[in-house]
Amino acid sequence: MSVRVRFAPSPTGALHIGGVRTALYNYLFARKHGGQFLLRIEDTDQNRFVPGAEDYIIEALKWVGLIPDEGVGFGGDYGPYRQSDRKAIYLDYALQLVQRGHAYYAFDTPEALEARRESEDNFTYNQFTRTGLSNSLTLSAEAVQEHLDAGLPYVIRLKVAPNQEIRIHDLIRGEVVFQSADVDDKVLLKADGMPTYHLANIIDDHLMKITHVIRGEEWLPSTAHHVLLYQGFGWEDTMPQFAHLPLIMKPVGNGKLSKRDGAKFGMPVFPLNWEGATEDDHFPGFREAGFLPEAVVNFLALLGWHPEDDQEIFTLEQLVEAFSVAHISKSGARFDYEKAKWFNQKYIQAMDAATLATHIRPLAEAKGYTVSVEYLQQVAVLMKERVTFLPDFVEQGYYLFEPVRTYDSETVQKKWSETVAGIFVELQSSLGDIEPFESANLEEKVKQFVQEKGAKPGDVLPLLRIALAGTMKGPAVFDMAVALGSAETVARLKRFVETFNK
Ligand code: GLU
């Protein structure tokens, strides 16, 4: 039987980075086993529906390169893949469950239930309380029929049988056992005819022939209900296998990573920028912070999974090769933003100039810089060992696109002397004539010249770097001179001399 897995987010807001990890693990698992990866949108909770969230999910998956084989926006033979478009399917199944004695009608009004909640601590609708409530287990068959005929609002609830053990063999956690006494009679079909997450999720996993459910640990308790549903429908034979992924923890301290941690720790916790309806529903994304999607994928892959050896850098293909559910950890994975930055640096450093140039181009254009592709490639080579984020190319390296804004005058003052000043005055008129204007040749000629003047290269070259970039942190000085070209290099020397030779 071919492996089929699904990523099933609810469009209730921006997709958290943990959701992207869930998608990634599903994707890797599907690819590893030659199976299919589906995207199903679980939007049955209309109160929590947020416009734009579905598009965001799709865009985020595309950005990180996890393209579903089937799903909303991707087609497939098991559609529709958006639960609100499947509404008609669920009622029949809910009724089937009632007929089979695994679910029942409940007519309790919201007010009646509210009153119970107020008068009883931790009130839950379950095998103990249902006997005193208004449902098809307590009412006579005639009364139930009358209620239905009169069009009284009702929900359909799962009927949890007493004294049962519900066992799950979780691929990550091993044996997990629930007692049915702890499992409540969840609503399966709401009064508005919409299924709840539990019902829709199980029916869809069944109809879409899902073989493995890989999802966050927060869904583990729900799995008890899900197993009962599979049993209730008589679908045990094709029940998927479960794998519950470890939580993603805050960078420091206890607790799981929350969307508020982004602002607190100065880091994105969403893949893309999200601009919700209100001011406090705006969040920065990894993409806009200047991460390469490949780096984000690599970082996320290791957030809860480890390979057999200690390899850290993996392409998506290598991840597919190395991935196994057996190496997913049970304990929470700490969200280490410094590590994410480290991955980004590594990926930028390893990227070829032409590809980097395509990433730098829009950033340069947004700043109003118009430069050739060849020049962008030179910028890429000059800066790639020095940057952490893509925008650093045009922000830290702004001097490759426009004149130096400020000089590191402290360093200049320290090294400035009459000899040095004299050297700069001469360099200003002779440097432009050095032929060929190539890095190694420039270096040789300048060093020779400096020595002839009785100075040390160490006294002059750092200043030359400051003349061209304003800072000591710039790229290798002669490479930079070549990229800027002889005319611009000379112009910068001139301005430098004018500024300090007073
Ligand atoms: N709709 C659920 C969510 O938002 C899916 C959980 C599952 O994968 O079953 O995460």
Side-chain angles (χ1 to χ4, degrees):
M1 190 173 51
S2 138
V3 161
R4 288 174 61 82
V5 293
R6 82 305 193 271
F7 176 49
S10 297
T12 54
L15 174 69
H16 187 278
I17 196 75
V20 182
R21 185 196 60 172
T22 301
L24 173 63
Y25 286 16
N26 274 283
Y27 175 92
L28 295 176
F29 189 78
R31 287 290 165 275
K32 171 105 197 174
H33 297 283
Q36 279 96 45
F37 167 60
L38 282 68
L39 170 65
R40 185 171 72 224
I41 297 290
E42 301 208 324
D43 59 347
T44 56
D45 191 347
Q46 285 165 337
N47 298 326
R48 296 186 61 214
F49 176 81
V50 172
E54 182 183 298
D55 289 342
Y56 179 97
I57 290 164
I58 294 172
E59 199 182 332
L61 290 181
K62 285 184 176 167
W63 181 62
V64 288
L66 305 178
I67 308 301
D69 302 301
E70 298 171 26
V72 175
F74 300 94
D77 295 339
Y78 294 80
Y81 293 92
R82 186 188 292 112
Q83 288 183 330
S84 58
D85 296 338
R86 303 170 64 79
K87 188 178 169 188
I89 297 176
Y90 306 113
L91 175 64
D92 277 354
Y93 281 101
L95 295 177
Q96 225 184 81
L97 222 48
V98 175
Q99 268 155 22
R100 296 168 68 98
H102 296 289
Y104 58 91
Y105 294 104
F107 300 97
D108 316 87
T109 61
E111 296 73 31
L113 292 177
E114 194 47 45
R116 283 291 287 263
R117 275 189 208 102
E118 270 175 27
S119 63
E120 270 167 63
D121 283 346
N122 307 323
F123 168 77
T124 38
Y125 210 117
N126 60 19
Q127 55 185 284
F128 308 107
T129 57
R130 68 187 178 212
T131 50
L133 288 150
S134 174
N135 52 53
S136 54
L137 305 176
T138 56
L139 298 167
S140 67
E142 296 74 44
V144 170
Q145 200 52 54
E146 271 170 35
H147 282 22
L148 294 176
D149 292 344
L152 284 191
Y154 67 88
V155 300
I156 292 181
R157 285 184 179 270
L158 175 67
K159 185 178 168 197
V160 178
N163 303 320
Q164 281 200 33
E165 250 178 16
I166 303 154
R167 287 182 178 273
I168 300 156
H169 181 77
D170 188 275
L171 296 174
I172 297 167
R173 267 143 238 282
E175 215 65 42
V176 185
V177 183
F178 296 92
Q179 301 301 328
S180 71
D182 302 327
V183 179
D184 62 338
D185 286 3
K186 282 260 182 286
V187 173
L188 301 176
L189 196 81
K190 293 180 278 190
D192 63 1
M194 273 301 233
T196 56
Y197 153 71
H198 303 284
L199 182 68
N201 187 271
I202 266 42
I203 293 174
D204 289 348
D205 280 350
H206 175 73
L207 295 178
M208 294 179 186
K209 298 201 164 54
I210 298 302
T211 56
H212 297 78
V213 168
I214 304 171
R215 61 184 172 195
E217 185 186 302
E218 63 273 26
W219 300 102
L220 186 59
S222 299
T223 312
H225 298 97
H226 299 174
V227 170
L228 293 178
L229 284 168
Y230 281 105
Q231 291 170 353
F233 282 118
W235 295 339
E236 296 97 323
D237 290 353
T238 54
M239 185 169 86
Q241 287 193 270
F242 294 96
H244 287 91
L245 305 177
L247 294 176
I248 298 180
M249 313 299 286
K250 291 180 192 305
V252 289
N254 292 327
K256 66 175 195 178
L257 182 72
S258 83
K259 59 183 179 182
R260 303 283 160 217
D261 288 331
K264 194 162 154 206
F265 295 100
M267 61 189 193
V269 294
F270 291 95
L272 319 175
N273 272 5
W274 169 259
E275 275 159 31
T278 58
E279 191 64 32
D280 70 343
D281 193 26
H282 284 206
F283 298 101
F286 271 84
R287 179 177 67 182
E288 290 77 6
F291 278 85
L292 287 168
E294 299 88 332
V296 173
V297 163
N298 199 150
F299 166 65
L300 290 178
L302 294 173
L303 212 57
W305 168 81
H306 57 91
E308 277 177 34
D309 52 20
D310 45 17
Q311 182 177 345
E312 289 196 287
I313 301 288
F314 289 89
T315 62
L316 195 55
E317 292 72 36
Q318 289 170 332
L319 284 173
V320 168
E321 187 62 33
F323 188 74
S324 91
V325 173
H327 282 91
I328 295 175
S329 62
K330 288 195 198 52
S331 51
R334 198 170 285 291
F335 189 81
D336 180 356
Y337 187 54
E338 293 308 311
K339 194 77 196 190
K341 282 161 50 177
W342 179 84
F343 275 113
N344 209 42
Q345 281 171 326
K346 292 285 169 205
Y347 274 83
I348 288 176
Q349 285 164 11
M351 190 166 261
D352 64 273
T355 315
L356 268 179
T358 62
H359 287 287
I360 304 169
R361 171 181 286 290
L363 298 165
E365 281 170 358
K367 293 222 176 267
Y369 303 139
T370 40
V371 284
S372 66
V373 180
E374 292 72 30
Y375 188 71
L376 286 175
Q377 294 187 8
Q378 282 178 298
V379 170
V381 174
L382 286 174
M383 294 295 293
K384 70 181 196 175
E385 299 297 329
R386 298 180 161 69
V387 300
T388 305
F389 305 109
L390 290 170
D392 292 345
F393 281 100
V394 293
E395 282 165 13
Q396 266 179 41
Y398 79 89
Y399 46 78
L400 297 170
F401 300 92
E402 57 168 284
V404 170
R405 290 178 200 150
T406 49
Y407 293 114
D408 172 0
S409 359
E410 208 180 306
T411 308
V412 178
Q413 307 298 358
K414 261 189 243 156
K415 297 202 173 270
W416 200 247
S417 70
E418 220 165 290
T419 321
V420 169
I423 291 174
F424 268 89
V425 170
E426 282 196 51
L427 273 181
Q428 175 196 170
S429 52
S430 63
L431 191 81
D433 298 329
I434 296 179
E435 292 255 16
F437 201 79
E438 280 167 5
S439 188
N441 189 40
L442 286 175
E443 178 165 2
E444 190 192 316
K445 298 280 158 54
V446 171
K447 279 186 176 163
Q448 200 181 336
F449 171 72
V450 167
Q451 273 153 356
E452 278 164 19
K453 295 285 161 188
K456 286 192 287 264
D459 294 329
V460 176
L461 299 194
L463 295 190
L464 195 52
R465 191 185 267 223
I466 293 176
L468 300 186
T471 166
M472 295 273 286
K473 294 197 196 93
V477 61
F478 297 107
D479 293 344
M480 189 160 43
V482 173
L484 290 169
S486 65
E488 179 62 20
T489 300
V490 169
R492 289 190 183 197
L493 277 179
K494 203 157 168 246
R495 200 177 131 222
F496 182 73
V497 169
E498 276 162 17
T499 308
F500 291 100
N501 205 17
K502 285 188 190 129

